[in-house]
Amino acid sequence: MATTYDFPSDLLAGQEELHQVRAELSALLKRLPWSVEPLDGFSDAGGWRKVERPASPGWTADEQAEVEKLRQREHELAVFVTCHRFWAEVAAAERVDARTRLKHAHEAPVASEEERA
């Protein structure tokens, strides 16, 4: 049987917010132009694969501030989760498993083979 961990509520909340911030940052970066600064487009077919980029208007000051805010919050949460006092209570040999389970704690549990039968 797999080990279960009694994660503190603040650690679970921090991990969940970290997931949300990373998803929000990823979505924002996908929406933004490819270059922070305004740059001309280019096409390079001489390499091992063709690379093309359209002209980039760059990011606005508000877009840059939003990315910086999300990156800063992501950093704060990552430090909070990885340095939480809970990890001192977990045996060193079990920390990787515990960390993996924390990352997936927000997901619905998957039924085992025996439970499905």
Side-chain angles (χ1 to χ4, degrees):
M1 180 162 192
T3 304
T4 58
Y5 300 95
D6 189 20
F7 297 115
S9 60
D10 64 331
L11 181 57
L12 286 166
Q15 180 64 53
E16 181 60 29
E17 186 179 353
L18 182 58
H19 284 306
Q20 292 170 355
V21 167
R22 285 182 171 160
E24 191 176 336
L25 180 58
S26 177
L28 176 60
L29 291 172
K30 286 177 184 175
R31 285 194 315 268
L32 293 174
W34 63 271
S35 174
V36 177
E37 299 295 325
L39 288 176
D40 294 334
F42 65 89
S43 178
D44 180 13
W48 62 277
R49 66 182 176 118
K50 186 175 183 177
V51 178
E52 289 185 318
R53 294 271 193 250
S56 173
W59 297 358
T60 65
D62 288 344
E63 291 167 337
Q64 290 181 40
E66 182 66 16
V67 169
E68 181 58 31
K69 181 181 101 177
L70 288 171
R71 284 182 174 156
Q72 180 63 35
R73 186 63 183 148
E74 177 186 32
H75 180 262
E76 291 167 358
L77 288 165
V79 169
F80 172 77
V81 169
T82 58
C83 297
H84 195 279
R85 67 189 174 280
F86 171 78
W87 302 117
E89 300 169 13
V90 178
E94 297 177 9
R95 285 186 192 142
V96 171
D97 179 60
R99 180 71 182 108
T100 300
R101 291 183 188 278
L102 175 65
K103 287 181 181 181
H104 297 283
H106 68 284
E107 299 171 358
V110 177
S112 69
E113 292 280 328
E114 294 122 18
E115 293 172 335
R116 285 184 254 162

